[in-house]
Amino acid sequence: MSAPAMGTTRTAHSDASHKKKKGPGGLATAYLVIYNVVMTAGWLVIAVGLGRAYLARGSYHGLYYSIEKPLKFFQTAALLEILHCAAGIVPSSVVLTGFQVLSRVFLTWAVTHSVREVQSEDSVLLFVAAWTITEIIRYSFYTFSLLNHLPYLIKWARYTFFIVLYPMGVTGELLTIYAALPVVQKTGLYSITLPNKYNFSFDYHTFLILTMISYIPLFPQLYFHMLRQRKKVLGHVEEYSKVE
């Protein structure tokens, strides 16, 4: 599942791990700060691109084309986060991070890029907008955390915006995959039919359907997990505010 809040889950796991494990060394910290600053800037470029294209066209239809290249670049660049986990400079699970990053890369390249007919669908803008806001907050959160100067507003946004952005992103992703199904079925995209020398077959259309079905058990588990994380991180602050 490649929803925006999957990124939220990834960082929530990291946040908890930071409390238990020693942080990265000086050189690794400097590298991570640069990485997160660049990624924050990249997603800001995408946000500005969407805004400018909307103002120029006066419509939100087809805005994907205005940010297609930076979206592909910065979403694919997130593959480095798997290496960060493998190298031990970020205390997150390689498997969990890999699953979350690869699912987004899959949606970016194997669905939206490969099935050009869906690029004009409003559902694409739905998940792109959700990803963009999520990533700006997430990478800003990481940057300030590494600098040991985390503003409460960013912390609050980090553990609050997912309440809307996660369902929004999931809806966009599911509708985009659904829109791709007829095209994939008609063209046989990425499918392998028998007979062949490897005696192996693969139906990409069925794979996409199974991908959509997988959202059913995963979405509520991850969503409620993040709600628990929010209560754990922000709960005591909100309770204190009520007392005041």
Side-chain angles (χ1 to χ4, degrees):
M1 186 183 300
S2 50
M6 292 292 282
T8 305
T9 306
R10 182 162 72 251
T11 49
H13 181 274
S14 298
D15 299 340
S17 300
H18 273 300
K19 297 177 181 178
K20 300 177 182 178
K21 298 182 180 181
K22 187 177 180 181
L27 188 60
T29 298
Y31 161 74
L32 288 173
V33 168
I34 294 171
Y35 170 79
N36 285 288
V37 167
V38 170
M39 293 299 279
T40 302
W43 285 96
L44 280 170
V45 167
I46 294 172
V48 171
L50 287 172
R52 290 179 64 182
Y54 175 76
L55 292 175
R57 299 182 184 188
S59 171
Y60 60 85
H61 296 294
L63 291 184
Y64 169 80
Y65 302 106
S66 65
I67 49 84
E68 180 179 4
K69 290 182 179 179
L71 175 69
K72 289 176 179 177
F73 179 83
F74 287 103
Q75 186 54 70
T76 305
L79 289 170
L80 287 171
E81 293 173 31
I82 302 174
L83 298 179
H84 297 166
C85 297
I89 61 175
V90 173
S92 296
S93 164
V94 176
V95 175
L96 182 61
T97 301
F99 169 74
Q100 293 166 346
V101 172
L102 289 172
S103 63
R104 276 201 184 186
V105 172
F106 169 80
L107 193 68
T108 300
W109 289 99
V111 179
T112 310
H113 169 77
S114 299
V115 186
R116 303 195 70 84
E117 289 84 348
V118 307
Q119 294 175 3
S120 59
E121 294 285 334
D122 293 341
S123 58
V124 173
L125 179 61
L126 198 61
F127 76 73
V128 168
W131 287 8
T132 301
I133 298 170
T134 297
E135 295 299 59
I136 290 171
I137 295 171
R138 185 169 74 89
Y139 287 116
S140 297
F141 177 90
Y142 265 152
T143 301
F144 286 109
S145 294
L146 288 164
L147 296 172
N148 295 315
H149 189 71
L150 178 63
Y152 178 75
L153 181 61
I154 292 179
K155 183 179 181 181
W156 178 85
R158 165 73 181 72
Y159 287 100
T160 302
F161 278 35
F162 78 86
I163 295 173
V164 174
L165 293 176
Y166 192 8
M168 175 180 165
V170 165
T171 301
E173 292 168 23
L174 286 173
L175 289 175
T176 300
I177 296 174
Y178 181 76
L181 289 177
V183 179
V184 171
Q185 186 175 40
K186 182 179 179 180
T187 61
L189 179 70
Y190 298 143
S191 295
I192 302 173
T193 58
L194 292 171
N196 57 66
K197 64 180 181 179
Y198 300 106
N199 196 31
F200 170 79
S201 65
F202 174 73
D203 184 37
Y204 188 51
H205 179 263
T206 301
F207 177 78
L208 289 179
I209 293 174
L210 292 175
T211 298
M212 293 177 68
I213 293 173
S214 73
Y215 278 63
I216 297 173
L218 289 176
F219 173 78
Q221 290 184 45
L222 291 169
Y223 193 67
F224 286 115
H225 167 73
M226 290 182 289
L227 286 174
R228 289 192 295 270
Q229 287 292 323
R230 182 181 190 277
K231 185 176 181 181
K232 185 183 299 182
V233 175
L234 300 180
H236 68 284
V237 177
E238 293 178 352
E239 289 174 9
Y240 179 78
S241 298
K242 289 179 181 179
V243 173
E244 288 293 306

